[in-house]
Amino acid sequence: MGKHPFLDGLKLAPIPLTPIRHGLVRACENGLVKASGLSLPVGCLCRIEQDSGATLGAEVIGFQNGLTLMMPLGESALLHPGARVLPEGTPGMVPVGDAFLGRAVDGEARPIDGLGPTERCEHWPAVGVRTGALERSSVRLPFDCGVRALNALTTFGEGQRIGVMAGSGVGKSVLIDMIAHGSTADIVIFALIGERAREVSGFVERHMAGPERARTITIAVPADHAPNLRLRGAMLATSMAEYFRAQGKSVLLVMDSLTRVAHAAREIGLLLGEPGAARGYPPSALATITRLVERAGNSASSGGAITGLYTVLADGDDENDPVVDTARSILDGHIVLSRALAQRGQYPAIDIAASLSRVMSDVAAPDHIAHGRELRSLIATLDANRDLVLMGAYRAGSDVQLDRALAMEKAINAFLAQPTGQIAPLKQSVADLAALLAPTPAR
């Protein structure tokens, strides 16, 4: 019989011979379980044994007056006083490794794709490995996202953190699908946090098939899961990305959505008694966003990079929402999707005037930057005078810039639009931009 890595790992694993200490459930109120007899660090996972024979997972989120405060990872309907609480796993660590490539897992790294358990894996700190500021090298290489409007007008770089900001139903998920398919990253990690279960199954069906599967990992924690499990899913995805970056690989981390992560952190903060500040968000919830985003970027020591793509849901299309404002201040660029453009049938509905890449000047050629500014100016002129033109109050010849923009309007709209299954490489996008703005020869 041939060797099996999973069995070899079990053979090499040490056998614990020390007594196993357990605690007892003392109270359960408002989704918070209190247990006595345990001394465990925050973030440790536990298993609660119930009289029915079923077990309930829980995570330590604090301690108070000799009691350990835990949040269940599932439903606590059959939980009873006196149930035994047993610690399990390695506190503060999450499983990572090549064994997860081509797999779909939940927030506890358990497979949900029906392909059996993952084989031997390594461990990585759930909160990441803190490094010095100079360990993060500058963004110098362009990142090809496969979307013509973004490649040409908001060119991204490897190691950049980008936000996709929009209200509900404007096309965020479709756009990240296009970017994931068109990117040239070595590893693509999807973190579907707080999404509908129907979207999760459809997403896995689209991305976990074909040759791209070998470079893809999906971590899915739907909206009906516990808030701490949703938060663990976001940390697991980021830890996976850090592991592959440490190997010198280029990683695309797609998190959909950062707002749902903030909602989960808000639930935990309010449960622990933290006062709500900005529109009900306690300070710890907004700090969670900053900590997650700051873990992406380039590594000077390994040469690897994590390019982060984070969707941000603007509640009620409010661009001043606390999560949107916090994300915009910490990210290296943002893509704003416009509901008005979507209603006019332009997809992807990218608002070029409101979108920005802060590293474009470092990764694009001077001619490319000049052409991008020129097209942005034409688009801004069209937007500023749209009502005037529609009312018929504009007389041709009054404004040379507006005359040019009106003459090119159809060509500009065709340039910005792109079918879902089409990929526009970076070089081709730059060439198309130059051709669009080239002067028309006189007849």
Side-chain angles (χ1 to χ4, degrees), residues 103-108 112 172-174 176-177 180 188-208 216-227 229-238 252-261 264 309-311:
R103 303 300 302 271
V105 299
D106 63 9
E108 298 180 81
I112 59 175
K172 295 187 302 298
S173 299
V174 175
I176 65 173
D177 272 9
V188 180
I189 299 175
F190 295 105
L192 307 180
I193 310 299
E195 296 300 313
R196 295 181 290 271
R198 177 189 59 81
E199 286 191 353
V200 171
S201 59
F203 195 93
V204 171
E205 184 179 345
R206 291 194 304 273
H207 290 275
M208 305 300 286
T216 304
I217 301 173
T218 300
I219 294 101
V221 189
D224 59 343
H225 285 57
L229 194 56
R230 280 177 265 151
L231 195 55
R232 287 187 68 88
M235 292 191 294
L236 173 62
T238 309
L252 173 61
L253 172 62
V254 180
M255 188 168 295
D256 187 14
S257 72
L258 199 62
T259 305
R260 306 300 186 195
V261 176
L309 184 65
Y310 305 90
T311 66

Side-chain angles (χ1 to χ4, degrees), residues 21-24 35-40 46 66-68 70 85-87:
R21 186 174 183 178
H22 69 271
L24 299 176
S36 63
L38 288 175
S39 179
L40 301 174
C46 299
L67 297 177
T68 301
M70 300 182 297
V85 182
L86 300 169

Side-chain angles (χ1 to χ4, degrees), residues 114-127:
L115 300 178
T118 54
E119 296 184 349
R120 291 176 60 182
C121 55
E122 303 181 41
H123 286 83
W124 194 270
V127 295

Side-chain angles (χ1 to χ4, degrees), residues 34-239:
K34 301 179 181 180
S36 63
L38 288 175
S39 179
L40 301 174
V42 173
C44 181
L45 292 179
C46 299
R47 184 178 73 254
I48 303 176
E49 296 181 344
Q50 305 181 73
D51 286 347
S52 62
T55 60
L56 173 66
E59 180 184 4
V60 177
I61 60 173
F63 39 86
Q64 184 181 39
N65 298 328
L67 297 177
T68 301
L69 308 181
M70 300 182 297
M71 178 173 281
L73 298 176
E75 294 295 334
S76 57
L78 299 178
L79 188 63
H80 60 87
R84 292 208 315 163
V85 182
L86 300 169
E88 64 176 14
T90 306
M93 306 295 284
V94 292
V96 297
D98 294 340
F100 291 96
L101 290 173
R103 303 300 302 271
V105 299
D106 63 9
E108 298 180 81
R110 296 181 302 189
I112 59 175
D113 51 12
L115 300 178
T118 54
E119 296 184 349
R120 291 176 60 182
C121 55
E122 303 181 41
H123 286 83
W124 194 270
V127 295
V129 179
R130 186 177 295 275
T131 58
L134 297 182
E135 162 63 14
R136 299 296 172 82
S137 57
S138 301
V139 178
R140 289 288 180 263
L141 298 176
F143 179 81
D144 189 352
C145 67
V147 179
R148 182 170 47 247
L150 299 180
N151 277 337
L153 301 174
T154 59
T155 310
F156 302 140
E158 285 192 9
Q160 186 178 359
R161 290 84 54 89
I162 310 132
V164 181
M165 303 175 179
S168 57
V170 185
K172 295 187 302 298
S173 299
V174 175
L175 180 59
I176 65 173
D177 272 9
M178 294 174 67
I179 295 176
H181 281 301
S183 72
T184 56
D186 300 325
I187 305 292
V188 180
I189 299 175
F190 295 105
L192 307 180
I193 310 299
E195 296 300 313
R196 295 181 290 271
R198 177 189 59 81
E199 286 191 353
V200 171
S201 59
F203 195 93
V204 171
E205 184 179 345
R206 291 194 304 273
H207 290 275
M208 305 300 286
E212 292 186 359
R213 177 172 189 155
R215 65 165 186 158
T216 304
I217 301 173
T218 300
I219 294 101
V221 189
D224 59 343
H225 285 57
N228 53 337
L229 194 56
R230 280 177 265 151
L231 195 55
R232 287 187 68 88
M235 292 191 294
L236 173 62
T238 309
S239 296

Side-chain angles (χ1 to χ4, degrees), residues 128-398:
V129 179
R130 186 177 295 275
T131 58
L134 297 182
E135 162 63 14
R136 299 296 172 82
S137 57
S138 301
V139 178
R140 289 288 180 263
L141 298 176
F143 179 81
D144 189 352
C145 67
V147 179
R148 182 170 47 247
L150 299 180
N151 277 337
L153 301 174
T154 59
T155 310
F156 302 140
E158 285 192 9
Q160 186 178 359
R161 290 84 54 89
I162 310 132
V164 181
M165 303 175 179
S168 57
V170 185
K172 295 187 302 298
S173 299
V174 175
L175 180 59
I176 65 173
D177 272 9
M178 294 174 67
I179 295 176
H181 281 301
S183 72
T184 56
D186 300 325
I187 305 292
V188 180
I189 299 175
F190 295 105
L192 307 180
I193 310 299
E195 296 300 313
R196 295 181 290 271
R198 177 189 59 81
E199 286 191 353
V200 171
S201 59
F203 195 93
V204 171
E205 184 179 345
R206 291 194 304 273
H207 290 275
M208 305 300 286
E212 292 186 359
R213 177 172 189 155
R215 65 165 186 158
T216 304
I217 301 173
T218 300
I219 294 101
V221 189
D224 59 343
H225 285 57
N228 53 337
L229 194 56
R230 280 177 265 151
L231 195 55
R232 287 187 68 88
M235 292 191 294
L236 173 62
T238 309
S239 296
M240 290 268 192
E242 287 179 324
Y243 168 79
F244 288 108
R245 179 181 62 187
Q247 297 180 345
K249 296 182 178 179
S250 172
V251 183
L252 173 61
L253 172 62
V254 180
M255 188 168 295
D256 187 14
S257 72
L258 199 62
T259 305
R260 306 300 186 195
V261 176
H263 289 175
R266 177 176 62 182
E267 291 183 50
I268 296 174
L270 295 177
L271 188 61
L272 290 173
E274 191 176 353
R279 297 194 187 179
Y281 287 96
S284 63
L286 300 179
T288 299
I289 297 177
T290 303
R291 287 195 297 268
L292 273 177
V293 170
E294 274 298 297
R295 292 170 64 179
N298 292 327
S299 172
S301 58
S302 70
I306 299 175
T307 304
L309 184 65
Y310 305 90
T311 66
V312 183
L313 178 64
D315 290 334
D317 290 349
D318 183 7
E319 295 296 332
N320 294 318
D321 179 82
V323 178
V324 177
D325 196 46
T326 301
R328 188 189 294 114
S329 66
I330 195 66
L331 293 168
D332 302 320
H334 51 269
I335 306 165
V336 178
L337 302 184
S338 167
R339 191 176 299 276
L341 291 175
Q343 290 172 347
R344 292 207 298 262
Q346 178 180 313
Y347 288 99
I350 301 170
D351 186 346
I352 296 298
S355 301
L356 173 71
S357 172
R358 296 178 180 174
V359 304
M360 182 174 177
S361 58
D362 298 325
V363 299
D367 288 347
H368 178 193
I369 296 174
H371 288 151
R373 289 174 178 170
E374 185 179 351
L375 183 55
R376 278 178 173 271
S377 177
L378 291 172
I379 295 172
T381 301
L382 280 173
D383 291 342
N385 295 278
R386 184 174 299 279
D387 292 340
L388 189 67
V389 173
L390 290 176
M391 289 188 300
Y394 174 72
R395 180 177 298 176
S398 302

